[in-house]
Amino acid sequence: MSLSTHTTISGFLLPSIHSAPPFFTEQPNPTTQSIATEQWIRLILSYARHRKLFVLRVEDAETTDGDWEEILRNDRINRKVLPGHLSNFMKVMVERNLAGYEPPRQMRSVLVYWRLPEEWAEVLYDWVVSSGQLSTILTFYDITDPPIESPLTNIPIPLLRKAIAILGKTGRSQLIAIADGEGVRFLPRSK
């Protein structure tokens, strides 16, 4: 089989390297493995953005019909990423702040930062401003499940907390205790 791009059922364009059998196995040469790891990380991040996926688990390497199957398997060449190999990609992503172990203190599941927490902070603040909710107290539910879908719909709470903390450091957000738990008030930019 020659190397060729392929469009998945979800409409994602897989790069031609995805049709190369060695791409799915750990390479003995460190330089070759480093290049393959870079390509896998780019592929994971772009696919996560395309599908709006936030969580990647080691188990996803063995799951059929899962969210990640389109990129972790290639049935056309009878190849799949093994769990240990995927775990290595996740480790490198965490080291580069492109993912974070979630829950913390384990190494089998990560939040994928297809947008960095700093970028999410700006998306969050822009959404609050554009929806006219400055100085309004919002619950996390208000943000993650708004009446009209937004770029923040379904954002995981740990990632939302990071974005809010970043805005807090610049004086643009303030966590507030409310009856049902926590809320956040977004403040105008200081002059």
Side-chain angles (χ1 to χ4, degrees), residues 4-139:
S4 61
T5 59
H6 178 75
T7 302
T8 66
I9 292 170
S10 73
F12 182 75
L13 181 64
L14 291 167
S16 59
I17 191 71
H18 195 265
S19 60
F23 187 55
F24 288 84
T25 57
E26 289 192 59
Q27 298 301 304
N29 180 303
T31 303
T32 305
Q33 182 56 48
S34 174
I35 292 167
T37 298
E38 289 299 320
Q39 292 171 325
W40 268 110
I41 289 172
R42 276 198 306 271
L43 179 60
I44 289 167
L45 291 172
S46 60
Y47 186 74
R49 180 182 287 263
H50 170 76
R51 294 273 319 272
K52 294 187 177 176
L53 300 175
F54 290 100
V55 178
L56 176 62
R57 296 175 185 86
V58 172
E59 293 77 28
D60 289 325
E62 296 185 318
T63 304
T64 54
D65 297 326
D67 289 335
W68 295 92
E69 182 181 17
E70 288 183 327
I71 64 165
L72 298 180
R73 294 179 171 276
N74 187 336
D75 292 333
R76 294 172 296 125
I77 58 170
N78 196 27
R79 292 288 189 269
K80 68 178 184 175
V81 173
L82 296 176
H85 201 38
L86 180 57
S87 180
N88 290 338
F89 301 147
M90 291 164 52
K91 179 178 180 243
V92 173
M93 290 173 71
V94 169
E95 288 168 357
R96 295 184 186 169
N97 197 34
L98 299 171
Y101 289 116
E102 185 59 42
R105 294 186 287 285
Q106 56 78 43
M107 299 176 76
R108 298 194 58 80
S109 176
V110 295
L111 279 179
V112 177
Y113 299 157
W114 46 272
R115 279 191 177 130
L116 296 175
E118 296 79 8
E119 294 171 310
W120 279 114
E122 294 308 317
V123 168
L124 172 58
Y125 194 77
D126 291 347
W127 175 76
V128 168
V129 170
S130 69
S131 62
Q133 299 184 86
L134 273 179
S135 300
T136 303
I137 297 174
L138 299 171
T139 65

